[in-house]
Amino acid sequence: MTDRGVLLWIHGGGWRARSEEDGAALAPLGLRVVPATYRFAAEAHWPAQLDDVRAAARAARAAAGGLPLLVGGDSAGAMLALHLGLRGVDRPGDVRAVLAYWAPVDPLDPQWRRLRRHDDPWADLLGHPPAAGDPATADATVAGHLGSGVPVLLVHGRDDAAVPAAQSVDLAGRLIAAGHPAHLWLTHGGHALDLARPDVRAVTAAFLDTVLPPA
């Protein structure tokens, strides 16, 4: 299939390590998948990770040959993809779309804090426990950066025990209210679903048809 766009893929792993998912399952949908790396929380605190994926996006865009740039990721990588897409590489609106799979987006979500109270990767990312009124916490919260109009796909397993699915549900409503075309697929299963699973693949393909030219 001819490439329809370039997808910068940002891996998950709780901002602490690299997950196995590399986004390659999305390539048959007409995407040239380019991996991004970033410093882990033990090496640097937020927003160093956003700086790193912005640099990766600039390199991917320069090598894209005019193809549209999309950003995507799973879990912690999806959070970074959302920040990159919504805030822009160099300016808001310079990314074609965001594909975010089972993304943690709100460090102050009460359900998250109950679930991860003994092991909160947000605290590692920020360098301190997240707190209301804290500038770093506010900056890392995805919903604080809406309004650019970039289309977003959110996919989440309803039985996700690592990242509550309600985070994607809530974010979808906020995106729509802020004027973003937002597609939410809440499906069976837990965390780290197979991107090649028929329903996940189909909803991703349908979303891409709304943001990319035909093959």
Side-chain angles (χ1 to χ4, degrees), residues 13-87:
W15 308 292
R16 297 164 167 167
R18 187 185 188 102
S19 67
E20 294 182 359
E21 180 58 67
D22 61 5
L26 303 179
L29 301 179
L31 297 174
R32 184 190 305 164
V33 180
V34 178
T37 60
Y38 54 90
R39 285 167 285 179
F40 298 139
E43 302 171 280
H45 295 140
W46 180 263
Q49 294 73 21
L50 178 57
D51 294 339
D52 293 346
V53 295
R54 275 182 163 145
R58 292 186 186 103
R61 185 174 59 191
L67 289 171
L69 176 67
L70 301 88
V71 296
D74 64 312
S75 196
M79 173 269 199
L80 293 173
L82 284 161
H83 275 281
L84 179 59
L86 296 172
R87 302 170 75 161

